[in-house]
Amino acid sequence: MKYLWGLIPLALFAALALLLNANLGRDTESMPSALVGRSVPAFDLPALASNRDSYDQEIFKGRWSLLNIWATWCPTCYVEHPYFIELARSGVAIVGVNYKDDDDKARRYLAELGNPYTEVVVDKQGNLALDLGVYGAPETFLVSPEGKILLRHAGEVNAHVWEEKFVPLMARYEAYHGGGEDTP
């Protein structure tokens, strides 16, 4: 009997190892969103640094856009920021949603690191993020020229993620719409 008690830690370790192994390789950045295929939720939020007082969901109409949830307290936002600068230089429109942050810190962040955003809105209370189902920062949404959300990505956007997830989806969407059909 004493021999069996000695096997309990080994059995617990094996169970833990199986549980961890089952989650390895799982894509934790792909998160389903009930908003895929739907319009960006309505909002009217103040601009962080602009000659306009506020913006609403109409800023997504007429162009491909990324909607990026970011904050100065978010370490991963610092990691992905240089890639957003690169995307912006290549002509990608990125709308920044500064999420539950200090406005002055956010302005300094953009002044020091560069501003890749075409517009930045302040979501101090997190209401737009809540409507988007955001878990935290960073999260990035691909928005069609019709203002519809096509993809939600949690975590860093980098060249690999961009080429593997965003570009093919835009190409499929364009091909689908080129055929004269409605939304995919």
Side-chain angles (χ1 to χ4, degrees):
M1 185 70 177
K2 190 174 182 180
Y3 173 74
L4 292 176
W5 283 106
L7 292 177
I8 289 175
L10 182 62
L12 289 174
F13 177 76
L16 182 61
L18 286 172
L19 182 65
L20 290 173
N21 188 40
N23 285 318
L24 287 178
R26 188 175 140 215
D27 186 1
T28 57
E29 295 174 339
S30 292
M31 303 176 75
S33 173
L35 294 178
V36 170
R38 295 187 178 176
S39 297
V40 172
F43 67 89
D44 186 13
L45 292 172
L48 180 67
S50 170
N51 53 4
R52 291 184 54 168
D53 291 335
S54 65
Y55 290 103
D56 62 25
Q57 67 281 359
E58 294 300 315
I59 58 176
F60 295 102
K61 300 276 176 80
R63 65 182 181 190
W64 284 100
S65 305
L66 297 179
L67 186 166
N68 175 242
I69 307 291
W70 69 281
T72 59
W73 48 260
C74 159
T76 308
C77 296
Y78 287 87
V79 174
E80 74 177 359
H81 196 83
Y83 190 67
F84 279 135
I85 296 281
E86 194 177 312
L87 283 176
R89 286 184 181 143
S90 72
V92 175
I94 308 169
V95 175
V97 177
N98 186 239
Y99 176 59
K100 295 185 175 183
D101 205 353
D102 179 90
D103 293 356
D104 291 333
K105 285 182 181 177
R107 285 186 194 98
R108 278 196 306 274
Y109 176 99
L110 295 175
E112 292 171 8
L113 301 177
N115 185 352
Y117 302 111
T118 52
E119 296 88 13
V120 180
V121 296
V122 177
D123 191 14
K124 197 167 282 297
Q125 302 302 317
N127 293 329
L128 176 58
L130 185 64
D131 290 344
L132 290 165
V134 167
Y135 288 93
E139 286 195 27
T140 304
F141 297 81
L142 175 63
V143 182
S144 76
E146 294 79 25
K148 291 186 177 183
I149 293 172
L150 300 182
L151 174 71
R152 173 187 186 182
H153 176 79
E156 177 189 354
V157 172
N158 54 35
H160 175 73
V161 169
W162 177 252
E163 291 297 326
E164 189 169 287
K165 289 184 172 182
F166 289 81
V167 171
L169 186 56
M170 288 188 291
R172 283 197 311 268
Y173 189 85
E174 292 288 341
Y176 194 82
H177 279 265
E181 299 180 39
D182 290 328
T183 352

